Amino acid sequence: MIFGCIRPVLLLPECTYSKSELEIIFRHELVHQKRKDIIYKLILMIANCIHWFNPLVWLAFSYSGKDMEISCDEAVLKQLGDKIKQPYSASLVN
């Protein structure tokens, strides 16, 4: 995950990754960074805090986060081509 708006930092769990896994992770997070998803999530979180009582805002916050992730996954798959689809989808399950 990327943390921070001004000086973003990539945070990874402490474990060993293969070279292909790291490439996929970096590409995915780079798409988030290029699209400024962290700023959009911050705006949505502020709206969620202001309208905490409104279930529609909660749903919008939840679905927008899922949509951002799916969109980033799609962009990475488009960049890397068909050969990476199976390993990429396997990494999503784990």
Side-chain angles (χ1 to χ4, degrees):
M1 96 176 199
I2 292 180
F3 180 77
C5 290
I6 298 171
R7 284 187 159 169
V9 176
L10 179 63
L11 302 174
L12 294 172
E14 193 173 317
C15 62
T16 25
Y17 298 98
S18 69
K19 186 177 178 180
S20 62
E21 288 175 324
L22 282 175
E23 180 183 10
I24 289 170
I25 291 168
F26 288 140
R27 283 180 183 265
H28 178 93
E29 295 304 328
L30 186 60
V31 171
H32 278 302
Q33 183 63 29
K34 286 182 178 179
R35 292 181 178 178
K36 310 274 190 246
D37 284 349
I38 196 160
I39 294 171
Y40 295 126
K41 277 205 164 199
L42 179 63
I43 292 168
L44 287 166
M45 194 177 299
I46 291 169
N48 201 9
C49 288
I50 293 170
H51 298 282
W52 58 270
F53 52 87
N54 188 341
L56 294 178
V57 176
W58 284 91
L59 284 174
F61 181 74
S62 175
Y63 284 131
S64 65
K66 291 174 186 175
D67 287 344
M68 283 181 204
E69 291 302 322
I70 291 170
S71 176
C72 284
D73 292 337
E74 184 180 5
V76 171
L77 288 173
K78 195 176 212 181
Q79 289 174 1
L80 297 177
D82 290 338
K83 64 182 168 96
I84 200 73
K85 282 185 180 179
Q86 187 175 8
Y88 189 88
S89 58
S91 72
L92 293 175
V93 174
N94 294 334

